[in-house]
């Protein structure tokens, strides 16, 4: 019996390769995309984490400042403690050097103490170059003020240069190498690095190796570190790297699984039609003794075989796609989290096995309902042609409604470990429940259409068949409904996000011209004070607003928060140049002797740190030195939208920051021009001022239009992968319609032959088939559009806030959505017409004679 069942299944797969190939391709594409995204993210994250681990080394404890830099006076006190065996000072900052092509190239420079770094961070230990002179003659290069040591990436990028020039004109000598992996890196003596960067007395961190038997908690308690110094485990650096991109990686993986989800519906469609066509064969097997359980296992075995074949091919295709993407994109799919050298492909058998099982599971889920229908069939009645499955009753519709209600309830559930797992389940239940209710919707709509077309014979034939066989129509269009719904939801989500980002850029870029310190964003490059003062006096400049951006480490396990220092008009009735969510709150009264500083936090701060409007933010006080911050309390006066910093930002008035720190340095200038001033003329005057202060190589210019265009270009690049995933999902859905109509049309040759005997021409028969395709795909497009809009509400108002901690306004791009639906309808109609070509010829007429 088992051999007979295997032969039965094999013959079905062998004799109908086109129909079964559609299900295989659907699973193949779904697994390939999901596995490729996993490989790209895993490879990039592993390479980045490895580089961070090599540079940071493996100390027992790291000391960092919550805000700004560490005072290197702390080094002597820490190193003198008996519980500390080694204390290694480190200074890190980005540096621009002149590449062989003459262009500026960004590298990282790390200053270390060569006497102790080897014990804590061996990859940063300088190795002198002995090719030009004996090692003894160059041993003092480890401490030379102009000597740098390059890692492999820097040596390759700089093409073996032995002398380097920095962006601000300093000259450095290549004295050797270091073994640190990752992006281009330069290493030099820490004191020389302080002098080069004009950071005398500053350190980025102090790495500690504790004495044998010493406990970190006891040592830190004895050191009595200042409140603005934070101690962390070395592995927390890797955790921050992972947390930085986790939401992006998870959402991208879920989007990739969209194709696999759609593939499950296509397997359902293919097997449902296959089971319906083979009902006499299954009935014969039942009469011959095949039990209902064995018939269930037979159909599930077929679906598992389809899933296994598609998954195996998908793993191979996904590996190739990942290797190609890593070579072309360098591990960055548009999110901007992983930059630097191209990471090697990290292929692990367990990951391949997981995605292989996911593909098989999706196929089994798609085949479960057809398998149950086969198991519940009455063989004797079916063999006589009386075994048509009963029309689902109210319990089916109740189940569909229950799934939709459960989806709505789950959409309100909180995230799990920062991931909106319940929201993802809600999206899946919405789709399943909506597709389960398709027969009800098809019947309701066609019952109202049928009376209006009674005078037209061909439309009556098409509509009445779809009306009487609404289950078949629902099966055939389920793949289109699923793919179109997800595509509509993603289109709405991306359009809403882009529109919100556009409005946000208008709010945060009020000036016409911007001047920033060269070297990129961050707090490592500042504008010369004399230049800042002189710019305000340039003819044509009405007002100059300064901006300082500096990292603020509130939690060792989380990425740093951005502290933005800018002038704020906090007078009553004044309008803040911030896109606030709600209204600003007045500062409360405090006892005499205390001072209140109003700060404005981004939406991420509310989710991650509980910084709600009207609350106090005590963690801010720990970021500043104790004498200046004593008696100061930080009040959350409002929440603003910040699409540039996913992990939180705090805006503080510049006057308050300078009073607390005495630090007047700035990164950027926002120039408000006088009415009628020529922007180009103002630019030339500012360049002349920069030349007078020797800052012409330290500044960059950008107009508001350039910043806006560049920001939107980055946004579009970030969502380019989403567009491709939408296209694949739609393609799978159309492929499913093609397979469904091909199978049904070939099975209806006798019906078409009878219509030909009754006088219908071949063109009229093809017209009936095309009208059926039009009716079914229109129904699928309507259902997909409605379900997609429902899913978009979950994506916009739940998934994005829980994943990225920002909100957006819902935007419905009707022109794009209707064009998407129209494309699906046209493709489905053409597919039905082409499928009818093969079944409306002479074979259809001959097929009628088989019953005579």
């Amino acid at each position: 019996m088992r051999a007979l069942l295997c032969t039965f299944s094999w013959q079905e797969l062998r004799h109908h390769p086109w129909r079964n190939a559609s299900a295989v391709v659907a699973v193949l594409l779904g697994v390939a995309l999901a596995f490729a995204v996993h490989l790209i993210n895993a490879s990039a994250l592993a390479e980045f984490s490895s580089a961070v681990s090599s540079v940071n080394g493996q100390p027992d404890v790291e000391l960092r400042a919550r805000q700004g830099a560490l005072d290197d006076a702390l080094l002597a006190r820490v190193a003198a403690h008996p519980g500390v065996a080694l204390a290694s000072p480190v200074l890190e900052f980005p540096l621009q050097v002149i590449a062989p092509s003459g262009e500026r190239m960004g590298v990282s420079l790390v200053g270390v103490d060569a006497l102790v770094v080897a014990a804590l961070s061996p990859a940063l230990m300088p190795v002198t170059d002995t090719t030009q002179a004996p090692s003894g003659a160059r041993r003092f290069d480890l401490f030379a003020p102009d000597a740098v040591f390059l890692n492999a990436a820097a040596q390759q990028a700089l093409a073996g240069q032995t002398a380097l020039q920095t962006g601000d004109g300093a000259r450095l000598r290549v004295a050797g190498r270091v073994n640190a992996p990752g992006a281009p890196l330069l290493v030099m003596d820490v004191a020389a690095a302080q002098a080069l960067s004009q950071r005398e007395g500053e350190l980025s961190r102090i790495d500690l190796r504790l004495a044998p038997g010493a406990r970190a908690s006891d040592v830190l308690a004895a050191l009595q570190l200042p409140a603005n110094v934070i101690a962390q485990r070395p592995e927390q650096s890797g955790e921050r790297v992972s947390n930085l991109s986790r939401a992006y990686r998870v959402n991208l993986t879920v989007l990739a699984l969209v194709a696999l989800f759609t593939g499950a519906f296509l397997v359902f469609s293919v097997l449902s039609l296959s089971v319906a066509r083979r009902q006499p064969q299954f009935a014969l097997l039942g009469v011959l003794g095949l039990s209902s359980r064995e018939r269930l296992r037979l159909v599930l075995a077929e679906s598992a075989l389809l899933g296994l074949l598609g998954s195996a091919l998908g793993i191979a295709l996904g590996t190739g796609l990942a290797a190609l993407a890593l070579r072309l994109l360098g591990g960055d799919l548009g999110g901007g989290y992983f930059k630097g050298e191209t990471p090697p492909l990290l292929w692990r058998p367990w990951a391949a096995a997981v995605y292989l099982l996911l593909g098989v599971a999706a196929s089994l889920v798609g085949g479960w309902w057809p398998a149950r229908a086969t198991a519940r069939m009455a063989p004797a009645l079916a063999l006589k042609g009386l075994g048509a499955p009963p029309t689902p009753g109210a319990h089916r519709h109740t189940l569909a409604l229950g799934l939709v209600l459960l989806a709505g309830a789950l959409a309100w559930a909180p995230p799990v470990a920062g991931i909106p797992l319940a929201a993802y389940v809600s999206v899946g239940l919405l789709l399943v429940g909506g597709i389960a209710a398709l027969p009800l919707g098809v019947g309701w709509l066609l019952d109202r259409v049928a009376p209006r077309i009674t005078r037209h014979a061909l439309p009556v034939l098409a509509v009445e068949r779809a009306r009487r066989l609404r289950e078949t129509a629902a099966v055939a269009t389920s793949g289109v409904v699923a793919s179109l719904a997800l595509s509509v939801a993603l289109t709405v989500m991306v359009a809403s996000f882009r529109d919100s980002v556009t409005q946000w850029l208008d709010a945060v870029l009020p000036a016409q011209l911007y001047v920033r310190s060269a070297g990129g964003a961050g707090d490592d490059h500042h504008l010369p004070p004399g230049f800042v003062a002189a710019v305000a006096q340039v003819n044509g400049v009405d007002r100059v607003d300064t901006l300082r951006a500096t990292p603020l480490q509130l939690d060792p396990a989380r990425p740093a928060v951005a502290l933005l220092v800018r002038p704020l008009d906090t007078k009553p009735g004044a309008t803040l140049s911030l896109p606030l969510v709600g209204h600003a709150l007045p500062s409360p009264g405090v006892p005499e002797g205390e001072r209140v500083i109003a700060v404005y936090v981004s939406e991420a701060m509310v989710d991650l740190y509980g910084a709600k409007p009207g609350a106090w933010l005590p963690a801010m006080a720990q970021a500043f030195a104790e004498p200046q911050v004593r008696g100061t309390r930080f009040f959350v006066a409002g929440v603003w939208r910040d699409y540039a910093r996913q992990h939180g930002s705090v805006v503080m008035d510049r006057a308050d920051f300078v009073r607390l720190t005495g630090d007047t340095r700035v990164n950027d200038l926002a120039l408000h021009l006088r009415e009628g001033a020529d922007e180009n003329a103002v630019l030339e005057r500012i360049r002349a001022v920069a030349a007078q202060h020797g800052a012409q190589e330290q500044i960059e210019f950008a107009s508001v239009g350039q910043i806006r265009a560049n920001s939107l270009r980055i946004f579009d690049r970030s969502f380019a992968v989403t567009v491709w995933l939408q296209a694949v999902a739609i393609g799978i859905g159309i492929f499913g319609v093609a397979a469904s109509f091909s199978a049904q049309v070939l099975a209806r040759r006798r019906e078409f032959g009878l219509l030909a005997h009754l006088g219908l021409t071949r063109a009229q028969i093809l017209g009936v088939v095309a009208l059926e395709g039009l009716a079914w795909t229109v129904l699928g497009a309507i259902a997909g559009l409605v379900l997609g809009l429902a899913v978009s509400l979950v994506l916009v108002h739940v998934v994005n806030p829980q994943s990225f901690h920002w909100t957006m306004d819902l935007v419905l791009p009707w022109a794009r959505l209707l064009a998407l639906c129209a494309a699906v309808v046209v493709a489905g109609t053409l597919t039905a017409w082409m499928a009818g070509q093969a079944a409306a010829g002479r074979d259809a007429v001959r097929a009628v004679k088989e019953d005579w």
Side-chain angles (χ1 to χ4, degrees):
M1 177 63 72
R2 182 173 299 177
L4 178 63
L5 296 180
C6 293
T7 302
F8 184 76
S9 297
W10 173 251
Q11 292 299 325
E12 165 62 20
L13 297 177
R14 187 169 69 90
H15 288 295
H16 301 92
W18 162 249
R19 181 173 63 249
N20 295 308
S22 63
V24 171
V25 169
V27 177
L28 181 154
L29 291 176
V31 172
L33 288 173
F35 189 56
V37 169
H38 166 78
L39 287 178
I40 294 168
N41 286 327
S43 302
L45 182 62
E47 178 72 6
F48 192 34
S49 299
S50 175
V52 171
S53 177
S54 297
V55 172
N56 289 352
Q58 290 300 320
D60 296 321
V61 179
E62 295 177 356
L63 302 183
R64 295 178 180 266
R66 292 183 181 271
Q67 184 272 323
L70 282 175
D71 187 347
D72 66 0
L74 182 64
L75 176 64
R77 183 162 69 89
V78 170
H81 191 279
V84 176
L86 290 174
S88 175
V90 179
L91 177 62
E92 301 176 80
F93 58 90
L95 183 70
Q96 286 194 329
V97 297
I98 307 301
S101 61
E103 298 180 353
R104 292 170 176 259
M105 184 183 74
V107 298
S108 293
L109 190 142
V110 179
V112 300
D113 185 349
L115 298 179
V116 296
V117 70
L120 293 174
S121 303
L124 294 181
M125 180 62 195
V127 179
T128 56
D129 185 2
T130 59
T131 59
Q132 299 182 10
S135 58
R138 303 183 65 86
R139 64 181 181 271
F140 292 109
D141 281 345
L142 300 176
F143 313 101
D146 63 340
V148 293
F149 301 82
L150 281 59
N151 72 342
Q155 290 175 339
Q156 181 179 1
L158 295 172
Q161 287 181 275
T162 58
L164 304 178
Q165 181 178 348
T166 66
D168 55 5
R171 296 189 175 275
L172 302 173
R173 176 171 51 88
V174 177
R177 60 180 174 83
V178 293
N179 295 322
L185 179 71
L186 277 59
V187 176
M188 68 187 310
D189 179 66
V190 63
Q194 289 175 329
L196 177 67
S197 60
Q198 298 180 353
R199 289 176 170 84
E200 288 83 356
E202 296 183 0
L203 295 174
S204 298
R205 72 176 192 267
I206 301 175
D207 295 338
L208 303 183
R209 173 67 55 80
L210 302 182
R215 296 173 55 184
S217 57
D218 296 337
V219 172
L220 294 175
L223 286 172
Q224 296 183 349
L225 298 173
N228 66 329
V229 176
I230 189 171
Q232 63 182 37
R233 306 184 311 275
E235 60 268 22
Q236 287 177 317
S237 297
E239 294 173 6
R240 288 199 302 271
V241 171
S242 178
N243 291 337
L244 190 65
S245 63
R246 184 178 59 178
Y248 174 78
R249 291 182 283 114
V250 170
N251 279 276
L252 198 58
T253 300
V254 171
L255 290 180
L257 290 172
V258 163
L260 187 57
F261 184 84
T262 307
F265 284 100
L266 187 52
V267 172
F268 163 69
S269 175
V270 167
L271 286 179
S272 294
L273 297 173
S274 175
V275 166
R277 186 185 58 80
R278 291 185 293 161
Q279 188 173 4
Q281 291 94 319
F282 282 115
L284 179 60
L285 290 175
V287 171
L288 293 176
L290 194 67
S291 67
S292 61
R293 185 179 296 274
E294 288 172 326
R295 294 196 300 271
L296 176 72
R297 289 204 298 263
L298 176 61
V299 178
L300 287 179
E302 291 182 10
S303 64
L305 183 59
L306 293 174
L308 182 62
L309 180 59
S311 298
L313 295 175
I315 293 296
L317 178 60
T319 303
L321 290 176
L324 180 64
L326 286 173
R327 188 169 71 249
L328 296 178
L329 304 177
D332 181 8
L333 285 177
Y337 296 102
F338 306 119
K339 296 181 179 180
E341 293 300 300
T342 300
L345 182 67
L346 182 65
W347 198 95
R348 289 176 176 169
W350 66 265
V354 168
Y355 282 90
L356 183 74
L357 292 176
L358 278 176
V360 174
S363 185
L364 287 173
V365 169
W368 172 252
W369 196 271
R372 283 195 63 197
T374 303
R376 297 168 63 181
M377 177 184 63
L381 294 176
L383 197 58
K384 296 179 181 180
L386 303 174
T391 303
H395 69 280
R396 171 79 172 271
H397 304 146
T398 303
L399 175 62
L401 180 61
L403 291 176
V404 173
L405 292 177
L406 179 59
L410 287 176
W412 294 92
V416 179
I419 303 298
L421 296 179
Y424 294 141
V425 177
S426 173
V427 169
L429 292 179
L430 271 176
L431 293 173
V432 174
I435 291 174
L438 270 180
L440 180 63
V442 168
W444 181 86
L445 185 60
L446 293 183
D447 286 344
R448 282 149 183 80
V449 173
R452 303 177 184 275
I453 58 171
T454 54
R455 297 178 180 271
H456 306 281
L458 296 184
V460 166
L461 288 174
V463 171
E464 284 299 323
R465 188 176 188 278
R467 183 184 176 193
R468 304 301 176 185
L469 299 175
R470 63 188 66 176
E471 281 289 325
T472 304
V475 168
T477 57
S478 60
V480 168
V481 172
S483 59
L484 182 60
L486 290 165
S487 296
V488 165
L490 292 177
T491 299
V492 172
M493 187 268 290
V494 174
S496 300
F497 198 2
R498 199 179 196 278
D499 184 76
S500 297
V501 169
T502 302
Q503 296 181 24
W504 175 75
L505 288 172
D506 293 338
V508 299
L509 298 173
Q512 296 95 327
L513 189 63
Y514 291 83
V515 181
R516 65 179 299 179
S517 55
D523 198 29
D524 298 294
H525 299 276
H526 306 96
L527 296 173
F531 169 75
V532 174
V535 168
Q537 307 301 321
V538 170
N539 184 24
V541 176
D542 182 53
R543 188 176 87 248
V544 176
D545 291 337
T546 61
L547 176 65
R548 171 77 178 277
T550 181
L552 188 66
Q553 195 71 57
L554 299 180
D555 187 339
R558 288 176 173 157
V561 170
L563 176 60
L564 307 179
V565 181
R566 54 183 294 184
L568 294 176
D569 190 355
T570 57
K571 298 177 182 178
T575 302
L576 288 172
S577 56
L578 289 174
L580 292 178
V581 180
H583 301 284
L585 301 177
S587 298
V590 293
E592 186 177 353
E594 293 187 3
R595 181 173 61 240
V596 174
I597 293 181
V599 296
Y600 300 85
V601 301
S602 66
E603 293 173 303
M605 292 292 296
V606 179
D607 292 341
L608 299 176
Y609 298 94
K612 298 180 179 180
W616 300 100
L617 195 57
M620 284 284 295
Q622 300 176 353
F624 301 96
E626 176 64 23
Q628 292 88 343
V629 80
R630 189 173 299 157
T632 301
R633 303 177 68 183
F634 294 87
F635 175 74
V636 180
V639 178
W640 68 295
R641 281 183 178 174
D642 186 4
Y643 292 127
R645 303 163 188 89
Q646 175 187 336
H647 297 279
S649 59
V650 181
V651 178
M652 177 188 295
D653 184 56
R654 173 175 169 78
D656 292 329
F657 180 82
V658 172
R659 185 167 57 250
L660 288 176
T661 64
D663 190 349
T664 60
R665 296 176 295 178
V666 298
N667 306 117
D668 302 339
L669 300 177
L671 307 183
H672 298 263
L673 306 185
R674 293 174 184 169
E675 186 175 355
D678 184 2
E679 183 177 309
N680 293 326
V682 173
L683 273 176
E684 292 303 322
R685 297 187 191 110
I686 295 176
R687 287 194 177 98
V689 171
Q692 295 174 5
H693 290 81
Q696 63 271 22
E697 300 295 334
Q698 302 178 38
I699 60 173
E700 297 175 349
F701 296 94
S703 66
V704 64
Q706 291 173 332
I707 298 176
R708 180 190 175 97
N710 185 57
S711 300
L712 293 178
R713 184 173 64 252
I714 294 173
F715 178 90
D716 293 335
R717 185 189 67 187
S718 301
F719 284 94
V721 177
T722 304
V723 176
W724 284 104
L725 293 176
Q726 286 179 266
V728 170
I730 287 290
I732 291 176
I734 296 298
F735 201 49
V737 171
S740 300
F741 272 104
S742 298
Q744 292 190 53
V745 166
L746 290 175
R748 294 166 57 194
R749 288 184 304 161
R750 297 179 185 178
E751 177 188 334
F752 294 148
L754 179 60
L755 292 176
H757 280 292
L758 293 176
L760 267 69
T761 65
R762 186 173 185 272
Q764 288 175 321
I765 294 175
L766 290 177
V768 171
V769 175
L771 286 173
E772 287 184 16
L774 176 63
W776 289 15
T777 50
V778 166
L779 293 172
I782 293 173
L785 180 62
V786 173
L787 278 178
L789 294 177
V791 171
S792 69
L793 294 176
V794 179
L795 293 181
V796 171
H797 296 301
V798 181
V799 171
N800 269 284
Q802 291 186 0
S803 296
F804 301 104
H805 312 293
W806 51 51
T807 59
M808 63 186 74
D809 299 322
L810 183 68
V811 174
L812 299 178
W814 285 113
R816 217 176 312 165
L817 297 179
L818 294 178
L820 193 61
C821 294
V824 170
V825 171
V826 171
T829 305
L830 290 176
T831 297
W833 181 82
M834 294 173 64
Q837 292 271 16
R842 293 183 179 180
D843 290 341
V845 178
R846 293 196 188 105
V848 180
K849 297 180 181 179
E850 296 176 6
D851 289 339
W852 293 358

